[in-house]
Amino acid sequence: MTYEGESANWKVVYRIIQDENEVKRQLIEIQSIGGIQKGLITFKQTNPRGSGCEHNFDYDMKVDKEHIPGCLDGPRPDNKDDSFKVFIAWDDQEEKIILKVK
């Protein structure tokens, strides 16, 4: 499954490989689309079951996309209407991004 979403400054692609019972692999790609060149970034995700994660990393646009691990604690529904929220914070700013099935 692939989820995608954009805000004014960020594009997020969240790829999930899963079966009915287990998430096998997760990968998140984060890309600046609003001109942010460098900075300390915080990525936050809250899962429907209440768990979540937070990743802090130095973003440098020279590498084009930053790859970080996901933190889903269970399989996502196989549903085209399924979506979830993530947050990206930097330089005292924060944007919410709604990721939807592509």
Side-chain angles (χ1 to χ4, degrees):
M1 298 177 76
T2 300
Y3 290 81
E4 290 187 10
E6 289 185 11
S7 64
N9 290 290
W10 302 99
K11 178 178 180 180
V12 176
V13 178
Y14 199 133
R15 290 186 176 86
I16 304 164
I17 298 171
Q18 67 181 29
D19 62 21
E20 293 177 8
N21 302 314
E22 182 182 16
V23 176
K24 304 285 187 182
R25 184 168 177 227
Q26 305 172 59
L27 179 66
I28 303 167
E29 292 178 2
I30 300 171
Q31 180 179 19
S32 170
I33 58 173
I36 296 159
Q37 301 293 312
K38 290 184 175 191
L40 180 61
I41 307 298
T42 300
F43 174 89
K44 299 177 198 171
Q45 175 185 339
T46 302
N47 297 325
R49 296 182 182 135
S51 64
C53 66
E54 183 174 303
H55 294 287
N56 297 297
F57 59 92
D58 287 316
Y59 182 82
D60 188 342
M61 194 166 184
K62 290 180 187 174
V63 297
D64 186 41
K65 297 176 186 169
E66 188 70 35
H67 294 88
I68 61 174
C71 64
L72 289 175
D73 55 0
R76 300 290 302 169
D78 189 14
N79 180 343
K80 291 288 185 194
D81 296 327
D82 184 39
S83 65
F84 63 102
K85 294 180 253 182
V86 298
F87 299 86
I88 297 179
W90 76 104
D91 293 335
D92 296 326
Q93 299 181 61
E94 182 176 83
E95 291 181 347
K96 172 176 70 174
I97 302 168
I98 298 177
L99 302 181
K100 296 183 180 183
V101 176
K102 179 182 174 194

